[in-house]
């Protein structure tokens, strides 16, 4: 099977960077298109619902920080792709469910391979990303390459 359109999901973690490098090498070797995706989370409903208890300035600061982090992740990924000599599209999606955003992006863009890390950031975020990878694996209609 020859892959023609790869989707790599990244959260900016070290392991996610390894997945990006694998996707770049694969895209270059196959002459495939590459799409780099990061998923920016949404604020928990419990935080938004506690509006009178939480300073609105704090909520705005959290949202701006998330936006900045997402942009930094995509800028770094685009620079890595350029260094590798691979043309890549970079995309940000906002979702409370990263796995669903990854699957929808792959489906809507007709990607034929998803590349992602086995887990991401440490601690609770890493545990959650590991479960996101599991969800993508079990629900994807196209092959998924998991980088350890």
């Amino acid at each position: 099977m020859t892959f023609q359109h790869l989707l790599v999901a990244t959260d900016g973690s070290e392991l996610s960077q390894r997945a990006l490098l694998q996707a770049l090498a694969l895209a270059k070797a196959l002459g495939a298109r590459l799409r780099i995706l990061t998923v920016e989370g949404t604020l928990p409903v419990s935080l938004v619902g506690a509006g009178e208890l939480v300073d609105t300035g704090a909520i705005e600061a959290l949202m701006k920080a998330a936006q900045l982090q997402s942009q930094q992740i995509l800028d770094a990924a685009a620079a890595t792709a350029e260094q590798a000599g691979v043309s890549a599209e970079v995309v940000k999606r906002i979702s409370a469910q990263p796995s669903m955003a990854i699957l929808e992006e792959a489906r809507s863009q007709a990607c034929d391979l998803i590349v992602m890390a086995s887990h991401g950031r440490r601690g609770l975020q890493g545990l959650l990303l590991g479960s996101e990878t599991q969800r993508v694996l079990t629900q994807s209609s196209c092959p998924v390459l998991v980088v350890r």
Side-chain angles (χ1 to χ4, degrees):
M1 174 179 239
T2 301
F3 300 109
Q4 298 175 356
H5 193 187
L6 284 58
L7 174 67
V8 61
T10 181
D11 68 356
S13 66
E14 183 180 326
L15 190 53
S16 183
Q17 177 69 11
R18 282 192 245 160
L20 174 61
L21 295 175
Q22 285 288 319
L24 288 167
L26 190 55
K28 192 171 193 171
L30 297 174
R33 296 182 346 199
L34 181 64
R35 190 169 189 85
I36 301 169
L37 171 69
T38 194
V39 180
E40 182 181 306
T42 58
L43 289 177
V45 173
S46 60
L47 181 60
V48 175
E52 64 277 357
L53 301 176
V54 178
D55 177 24
T56 56
I59 293 173
E60 287 177 21
L62 286 171
M63 290 171 58
K64 285 184 181 185
Q67 291 168 353
L68 178 62
Q69 182 181 31
S70 294
Q71 193 57 54
Q72 289 172 337
I73 290 168
L74 290 177
D75 290 346
T80 301
E82 187 175 337
Q83 259 185 335
V86 176
S87 175
E89 290 183 77
V90 293
V91 181
K92 173 181 80 171
R93 296 288 176 243
I94 299 172
S95 176
Q97 296 180 302
S99 59
M100 292 296 109
I102 293 165
L103 291 165
E104 175 56 27
E105 188 70 20
R107 187 197 61 73
S108 70
Q109 297 302 312
C111 297
D112 50 17
L113 178 68
I114 299 171
V115 181
M116 62 189 302
S118 57
H119 60 280
R121 300 178 187 282
R122 294 181 183 186
L124 182 57
Q125 282 184 319
L127 177 64
L128 292 175
L129 185 61
S131 64
E132 296 301 331
T133 302
Q134 184 65 31
R135 284 187 194 101
V136 171
L137 276 169
T138 58
Q139 297 177 31
S140 178
S141 60
C142 71
V144 178
L145 173 62
V146 178
V147 178
R148 291 179 115 356

